[in-house]
Amino acid sequence: MENDREDFAMKEAKRRERAAGQKHGLHDIEALENPDSDIGLCGWILVLFSMLLTLVTLPISIWMCIKIVKEYERAIIFRLGRILRGGAKGPGLFFILPCTDSFINVDMRTITFDIPPQEVLTKDSVTVSVDGVVYYRVQNATLAVANITNADAATRLLAQTTLRNVLGTKNLAEILSDREEIAHSMQSTLDDATDDWGIKVERVEIKDVKLPLQLQRAMAAEAEASREARAKVIAAEGEMNASRALKEASLVIAESPSALQLRYLQTLNTIAAEKNSTIIFPLPLEMMQAFIKQ
């Protein structure tokens, strides 16, 4: 009962921490997508000058002001270094000022990358090489641009370290048999870590587990020995069952002497059917008793 209470208390504390983190993350998202629009007097002067320059140089400047964002992309616009109110723009057309605005395109499609083979020391001190694949996508373009320098590179490095950390707590047998559980654990860890970067980890899969050559030979020898032992046990059980059946058959034949003669005839029929040149004549043992007595 005390252990159950402690587990419940720990789960409740984790739930509260997760809820507090999510609330804090929502405040950060709102602050980034709706920043303070006060850029100062100099900023407004530069913006007005850029608008005036755009109007003066029409229609040439219109090619620099109109931008197109594809269906799977979002654009983060910076005006004098500050994210423009409203957050990500797109898909479709949007306008920027040539002198004061800049933008960054963010791909919102699911991205796939391979985790390079990692040399991992398992819990039972066995060195294995494990690789995997990760599927993720940018869930919030504003956070992916404002909170981290390179979200793709950071996610790749984090996936490698997470793979090593998770597999370091598993035995070799667990790594070989519980791949799905390891993948779910990695996905949960990566998803929690990349939440502040606006990235959603959709799926993690373990591709291959490579064992050292000596360990492969040892496991193959162990499996072969186990199969041989099972084969010997099965053969011994067959011999025992056959001997029991022969014993029961001998008891049945002993009750009827004519059954033995019928068995002789059946044996001759079998030999003749196989076109064998050897002919066996059954000789009753009663005929030999006289010679044995002399």
Side-chain angles (χ1 to χ4, degrees):
M1 291 296 292
E2 293 181 358
N3 293 333
D4 295 340
R5 291 178 181 177
E6 291 178 358
D7 294 340
F8 178 76
M10 292 177 63
K11 292 180 180 179
E12 187 67 20
K14 290 181 180 180
R15 187 185 64 79
R16 291 178 181 177
E17 291 178 359
R18 192 180 299 111
Q22 292 177 354
K23 186 176 181 181
H24 181 69
L26 291 175
H27 288 315
D28 293 342
I29 294 173
E30 292 177 357
L32 286 173
E33 292 185 349
N34 298 302
D36 188 6
S37 60
D38 187 10
I39 57 177
L41 180 59
C42 294
W44 283 113
I45 291 174
L46 291 175
V47 171
L48 292 176
F49 177 76
S50 179
M51 291 180 179
L52 181 61
L53 183 62
T54 301
L55 293 175
V56 170
T57 56
L58 285 175
I60 299 176
S61 61
I62 196 67
W63 301 106
M64 302 177 63
C65 296
I66 297 178
K67 301 296 180 182
I68 299 176
V69 175
K70 298 178 181 178
E71 183 67 30
Y72 54 85
E73 293 179 339
R74 298 295 183 271
I76 307 298
I77 303 175
F78 293 89
R79 176 164 294 172
L80 297 177
R82 302 173 66 91
I83 296 178
L84 198 63
R85 181 179 293 275
K89 305 294 183 182
L93 289 172
F94 65 95
F95 296 87
I96 63 172
L97 297 177
C99 300
T100 59
D101 294 354
S102 62
F103 70 97
I104 298 176
N105 278 343
V106 179
D107 196 335
M108 305 294 289
R109 293 176 294 182
T110 299
I111 300 173
T112 306
F113 68 88
D114 292 328
I115 302 176
Q118 302 294 312
E119 295 288 339
V120 181
L121 184 65
T122 62
K123 190 176 180 180
D124 50 354
S125 300
V126 178
T127 302
V128 295
S129 178
V130 184
D131 58 354
V133 60
V134 178
Y135 302 84
Y136 77 94
R137 61 181 175 85
V138 178
Q139 190 174 20
N140 189 295
T142 304
L143 294 180
V145 172
N147 284 3
I148 191 167
T149 304
N150 191 333
D152 181 71
T155 305
R156 292 173 184 268
L157 294 175
L158 184 61
Q160 296 178 22
T161 56
T162 303
L163 178 63
R164 298 174 66 92
N165 293 335
V166 172
L167 296 182
T169 61
K170 303 290 184 179
N171 296 326
L172 178 61
E174 295 175 349
I175 294 175
L176 295 176
S177 60
D178 298 337
R179 294 191 180 186
E180 186 175 356
E181 181 182 353
I182 294 173
H184 284 305
S185 178
M186 285 188 60
Q187 178 184 355
S188 177
T189 303
L190 286 173
D191 197 17
D192 292 340
T194 58
D195 190 29
D196 294 336
W197 305 341
I199 291 177
K200 173 67 176 176
V201 179
E202 297 179 341
R203 191 179 183 88
V204 177
E205 293 292 341
I206 302 298
K207 291 176 60 178
D208 190 17
V209 179
K210 296 181 180 180
L211 302 177
L213 184 60
Q214 295 180 354
L215 183 59
Q216 292 181 13
R217 291 176 178 174
M219 294 178 67
E222 180 183 1
E224 184 178 358
S226 178
R227 287 194 296 268
E228 289 180 356
R230 288 197 299 269
K232 290 181 179 179
V233 171
I234 293 172
E237 291 178 353
E239 291 289 342
M240 182 176 62
N241 294 332
S243 62
R244 290 177 180 175
L246 288 174
K247 179 182 178 182
E248 293 176 0
S250 63
L251 294 176
V252 173
I253 293 175
E255 295 177 356
S256 177
S258 60
L260 184 60
Q261 299 297 327
L262 293 175
R263 182 60 180 168
Y264 286 157
L265 295 175
Q266 185 179 3
T267 303
L268 288 175
N269 187 20
T270 303
I271 295 173
E274 295 178 356
K275 299 181 180 180
N276 199 332
S277 59
T278 303
I279 299 175
I280 299 175
F281 291 97
L283 183 63
L285 295 178
E286 289 79 2
M287 295 178 61
M288 303 297 296
Q289 289 180 359
F291 296 100
I292 294 174
K293 290 179 181 181
Q294 292 179 1

